[in-house]
Amino acid sequence: MSITPQIEPLAKIKSKRMIKLLTSGKRLDGRGLLDYRKIEIKNGVIEKAEGSALVSLGETKVLVGVKIETGSPYPDLPNQGALTVNAEFVPLAHRYFEPGPPDENSIELARIVDRGIRESGAINMESLVIIPGRLVDVVFVDIYILNHDGNLIDASGIAAISALLNSKLPVYRVNESGEAEKTEEYNPLPIRDCPIPVTLAKINDKIVLDPSLDEENTASAKLTMTFTKDGKICAIQKSGIGTFTLQEVIEAQKIAREKANEIRKNFFREWI
Amino acid sequence: MSITPQIEPLAKIKSKRMIKLLTSGKRLDGRGLLDYRKIEIKNGVIEKAEGSALVSLGETKVLVGVKIETGSPYPDLPNQGALTVNAEFVPLAHRYFEPGPPDENSIELARIVDRGIRESGAINMESLVIIPGRLVDVVFVDIYILNHDGNLIDASGIAAISALLNSKLPVYRVNESGEAEKTEEYNPLPIRDCPIPVTLAKINDKIVLDPSLDEENTASAKLTMTFTKDGKICAIQKSGIGTFTLQEVIEAQKIAREKANEIRKNFFREWI
Amino acid sequence: MSITPQIEPLAKIKSKRMIKLLTSGKRLDGRGLLDYRKIEIKNGVIEKAEGSALVSLGETKVLVGVKIETGSPYPDLPNQGALTVNAEFVPLAHRYFEPGPPDENSIELARIVDRGIRESGAINMESLVIIPGRLVDVVFVDIYILNHDGNLIDASGIAAISALLNSKLPVYRVNESGEAEKTEEYNPLPIRDCPIPVTLAKINDKIVLDPSLDEENTASAKLTMTFTKDGKICAIQKSGIGTFTLQEVIEAQKIAREKANEIRKNFFREWI
Amino acid sequence: MVTVQKLINEEGLRVDGRRLDELRPIRMEVGLLANADGSAYIEHGKNKIIVAVYGPKEAQPKHVSLHDRAVVRCRYHMAPFSTDERKSPAPSRREIEISKVVREALEPVIFTEYFPRSMIDIFIEVLQSDGGSRCAAITASSLALADAGIPLRDLVVGCAVGKVEGKLVLDPSDIEDKLGEADMPIAFIPVLGKISLLQMDGMFTEEEFIKALNMAKEACMKIYALQKQTLKEKYLQVEKEVRESLTLKE
Amino acid sequence: MVTVQKLINEEGLRVDGRRLDELRPIRMEVGLLANADGSAYIEHGKNKIIVAVYGPKEAQPKHVSLHDRAVVRCRYHMAPFSTDERKSPAPSRREIEISKVVREALEPVIFTEYFPRSMIDIFIEVLQSDGGSRCAAITASSLALADAGIPLRDLVVGCAVGKVEGKLVLDPSDIEDKLGEADMPIAFIPVLGKISLLQMDGMFTEEEFIKALNMAKEACMKIYALQKQTLKEKYLQVEKEVRESLTLKE
Amino acid sequence: MVTVQKLINEEGLRVDGRRLDELRPIRMEVGLLANADGSAYIEHGKNKIIVAVYGPKEAQPKHVSLHDRAVVRCRYHMAPFSTDERKSPAPSRREIEISKVVREALEPVIFTEYFPRSMIDIFIEVLQSDGGSRCAAITASSLALADAGIPLRDLVVGCAVGKVEGKLVLDPSDIEDKLGEADMPIAFIPVLGKISLLQMDGMFTEEEFIKALNMAKEACMKIYALQKQTLKEKYLQVEKEVRESLTLKE
């Protein structure tokens, strides 16, 4: 069951100042409305994982680890590997996070990132079959929030594709008796696209890019769009109890598309 | 753990009036003590289910859906299909129902309906074997309360047998390699009996048939008896913290038996 | 998540008296500091279990039942049976126990007893293989606290090894088609050691053996050491928020070792 | 075993015979549950969805309440028999996400500020599911809110646009959703001209995206007319009943 | 593999040698747990059941309390080693239902109205299970309530009647329950002449039902005598201990 | 398939080249998380552990608070990708036990009596696990507590001693822990000279036990020096930053 959340009490003065600044095109942290915070990506930070990446957007820090194990394929997709995306809002990351099973926010986050990867066809799922219909690779993408300062979706989506891009895929050999045996070899995980999510927030009729946590707490709604390397949209999610006009959505789409291209150019140069 | 429930606060005046009326042989809604509310049965309302029925007893509305899937037999019953009865008190049905895992009331309800079907031998479980010892039909009877105005057991039991009676059974063919393949064909689910539960409540030493919710909240105890087409008793459940004398139980049994026959005559004419 | 527990309110006078007595080498229940309560062991009290024992340490009563079933071996240990130790603090045993899934105390207890059995090699796990790599015996040791008056670890550990020592192992025959069939025969469960845990508590710099519940509630820390028949240490656990000096630990070890030998001499004479 | 199914035939018609921009049949009803403060039932294609609204009532437990407005609770739940394969009764991750986005789609039209410290419950039960069930659930939920007499800025309407064999299709059914290339559900608030739910998965070019948005909006206006008609009929019926009862009394 | 077991031999005796109307051996004990306010242990056939009663005490959490009487909590729980196959420690649906009907069987004899806003806990642990464990649990629970000094209108006694190879049998054992054709547990309150638990599954004609009810009632009266004897012995023992302690003091 | 691995070579060196009494490389950092009141990161061998401390703050829910001191909450949790096989996110029995013993290892150095009715949260996330992760977690947690400015009697240091091929080895790695004959983690409070965590599983003679205790203690003193160095550097850095900002202002 979903319930209207308690809003983190943000000093009214701070909120008022934010809104006042926005009318003059500025933000609390000095950014312009369509400025993104500094992005940092560290790949391969967890050696035990098949792939990993730590992404910072300002003070927002998200670690994604990829584990690849074997399992049964879905009965209706016998010739495809499987993908599972999971997010944990560990209590380390914010004083209002409590330990426990995933809540609607972490489930929504994981599902948005999942859709970006899945719908863009980023992973070549057909190449993850070890024994058709019986044994396939299962790719686990685990999103770990280390510090929450807003815009977890973009940080998580960028960390997820970064981690997948540096993931190694164990090679299995099928022996004479038809059993799969793990070898010592690894191939790179076959990646075909580089989906990038970009999030905008609406605060008092202003659209800002890459909202900080203070801004998310004041915003009425957010809109995330994920773009493929060809500039197609592969996932959208509006969240929050605010609304958008059709025109706002179309404009937001243009801004997000441009930013996604820029991020890809800066950090994923091979995907242009 | 079971705990004495909080009684829904029923205006004392209402409760007093109910008891006063009962002494003169009448009920709040105008019925006589042994009058049943109007029963309505709509079969086949959920096309995606293998069988379904919506039953109304006055304002009490219960929907039962039957799904039939394949599964392993119980190890000790390799030559029988399986039956699972489940009840959900969804919060739609009453302002005091909260979402969550089944509580003792929904578990008790499901188990009473289960016993009526199982002990009467209503389903020919032996005919639900696809590959002996390995693959059988599993019949899921899901009870969904849509509006709760008392006597959920009878409404659920009648809806369950109605839904089973209109259920279709997928036909499987076992191919040369011993694997079961689903065909496009269906048979009717083989039914051998038509168990009907009838519930009475005890309010201040008066016995009333088919209690409304107001009456259940005032009653000290309820007694449900389920009868087969031959007039045998196949399940009994007393509930509530009240008690019955031996004589009351024997009389209640006669009243319930007669009513079960009448319901079968009116709605399940082929089972007389 | 672990949280500093609420301490059971022990009358301050009682606690003060306990501490005062301890300085003169005495305890509330009349014991000397290193006196153990009377141990009683009743074996085989649950006929349906493969093995069982009821152990009393004064008013502390613990029942352990052993069930032996078949299951798959751990993938990395294809030629060994499996052991599962579980503890339930049923609400019968103390007014502050509530029903529910195991909490940190029952999990810790089960894990300490598990380590004593496992690390001492008490069960010959290699002899519990029915079909190598496929089917092994799984030994379930279920610890049931019936009355809690302190020192549950020792009571549970003694009850566990007692129950294992009187456990019977079902004999399986593997037929021509390679399937395991249960026979009517039983062998004794093959036991190779007799681990005995001994617990000391620290109250105001005094070390007492076999603490009662009142003493545990006043103690700052406890130390449990489990000894094999050869006098080796096979498991240690310090618990509570107090501390020990190195010297205290070494002395405690000597006391516990001696007591473990004495218990083994009195109750497990064949393991000397 | 693999049957290649064509989802659009040579005449440009879909598997269920619809044109690309045609809605499935829709039927609505309000006020059918006696216990709820408001209720509605919708059949949208093969979707069969029932919604009950309880409230405004005191927010329980207190720590979830807001001092300046009502909180809204929303549960989107699927009956075990609503799907092709039996669904486990425990809420799935999909149901948890949809409960959230549906709440966020409905909340903007509710005058929650009229009911501080209160709670409004929206309980959605999908009795049979087809493509676009979250949209149909939104359409029905706003009817149930209206039936409960809760002050609303407007109704909310849901409709999806999909992409099948490279073509945009309105209001995709289950099979079109499953085999198609994209699905974009939206919720629209006609009077305010606002979008309160927007999700998409699949693959859209910018042009397709803009066209799909407009198709969805147009369709929402048609469903909106049905919603208003349903409420009007209910109102007339209630009025008639009241008048009759007054006549009887005289 | 299939062994056809005869449950009643030519002499009319059952697999454990009993006549059709004969109870299994029963042994009871009270006051064996030091921490509980009251406790009892019963061996009824192979059933081994221990019961602790705590209370009356303040009802916690407060919202479960009743202003005019005590609430009763009851948990019927089976040890993992109590059954032929190890039982998972998590409560099964069967245990949840039995906890409810056992509570409802015991509550009518407790003067709960003497203890408003209080709580009385009845914790039943089945250490070894056999046929009729809920009946034996009720018999033991009323002893534990009495041992706790809780004012009771009477004791409650449980006993079942089954049907095996077409014949009614008193107090069926596990195998008779499993292979038999019917099982009807009842709880009886002798002084009040009332039935407080009644369940049945299987197949009874009207005649069998009435006969079974009377058989069960008769058996309950026999067990009732054992219950009273057990309490009397405990009382005498306590009295003796008190007298001795007084003597010692003098 | 079975490769007999020698864990100690002829020169007395271990698989990672260490001598028997040599620690793995250790790296520490404090104050890296913006939201937490205090934080620390440790790399100890292949362990990578991050710890956040929140508090002292009001104890919530109230019934867990203590009137005369702060309660400490501690969660030791492993990331799903921290282990060779993916770990389920739900807390395992091992994590629940370690959360308890780590809390009990840290609590003795906290002046909890300064903060009645408060709560101090210690959240430990194992991002990559190796042998001795609970010890490294303790070492990092006491740094995070210090970084949060919580008054401490001293730091706590964790280190384990193992037994491999009959020889005691300091600070065992994953493979030594798995294939070795014993593992004894301890936590030591240098200034107080006290042991606040002590566990062992495996097989020690009395002599080995005493020797292992002393080895662990010695190693803790070395790690303690690193801890103090880390805090000093942080302090100097903060001091420098403050001085610079003051200079700028002038």
Side-chain angles (χ1 to χ4, degrees), chain A residues 36-268:
Chain A
Y36 216 88
R37 288 172 291 183
K38 191 182 167 202
I39 302 173
E40 281 184 284
I41 305 179
K42 273 192 212 170
N43 283 310
V45 290
I46 303 298
E47 299 85 359
K48 283 201 177 181
E50 269 69 43
S52 60
L54 174 64
V55 166
S56 310
L57 300 186
E59 288 296 347
T60 286
K61 284 189 204 318
V62 173
L63 176 59
V64 166
V66 172
K67 295 294 286 184
I68 303 180
E69 304 192 343
T70 57
S72 302
Y74 293 110
D76 51 339
L77 295 170
N79 292 310
Q80 295 206 4
L83 168 69
T84 295
V85 180
N86 186 56
E88 281 189 75
F89 286 17
V90 287
L92 185 96
H94 197 275
R95 67 182 63 242
Y96 293 136
F97 288 178
E98 280 285 321
D103 69 353
E104 65 178 29
N105 295 305
S106 58
I107 287 172
E108 185 187 36
L109 171 64
R111 287 174 62 85
I112 296 170
V113 172
D114 182 300
R115 288 198 282 264
I117 296 168
R118 194 180 301 272
E119 300 297 333
S120 67
I123 303 175
N124 183 344
M125 300 296 256
E126 290 77 19
S127 70
L128 300 187
V129 178
I130 302 168
I131 305 173
R134 271 182 49 208
L135 197 73
V136 299
D137 291 304
V138 182
V139 179
F140 291 95
V141 174
D142 281 291
I143 300 168
Y144 231 64
I145 314 298
L146 296 183
N147 201 69
H148 177 14
D149 191 26
N151 200 8
L152 295 180
I153 299 176
D154 292 8
S156 301
I158 295 170
I161 190 64
S162 298
L164 288 169
L165 282 166
N166 70 53
S167 289
K168 56 190 186 184
L169 180 68
V171 174
Y172 285 81
R173 195 195 343 261
V174 180
N175 64 19
E176 319 83 72
S177 52
E179 299 294 311
E181 283 172 6
K182 195 173 176 178
T183 68
E184 299 285 305
E185 290 162 55
Y186 289 90
N187 286 329
L189 183 66
I191 300 294
R192 300 187 295 203
D193 206 321
C194 178
I196 301 290
V198 173
T199 297
L200 303 103
K202 184 172 170 183
I203 306 174
N204 239 20
D205 290 317
K206 295 285 177 189
I207 298 285
V208 301
L209 200 60
D210 178 29
S212 70
L213 185 53
D214 280 347
E215 289 170 339
E216 288 186 345
N217 286 333
T218 307
S220 66
K222 289 192 298 173
L223 190 61
T224 300
M225 298 187 149
T226 308
F227 295 90
T228 67
K229 64 180 183 342
D230 301 333
K232 286 187 180 144
I233 310 168
C234 62
I236 305 178
Q237 186 90 343
K238 175 251 163 185
S239 66
I241 63 171
T243 58
F244 292 93
T245 64
L246 223 82
Q247 206 43 50
E248 283 172 337
V249 166
I250 292 168
E251 273 164 35
Q253 183 258 157
K254 287 190 201 302
I255 297 165
R257 171 187 308 278
E258 197 169 306
K259 191 71 207 172
N261 276 333
E262 192 187 316
I263 292 172
R264 207 177 288 105
K265 204 183 304 169
N266 290 340
F267 294 95
F268 305 94

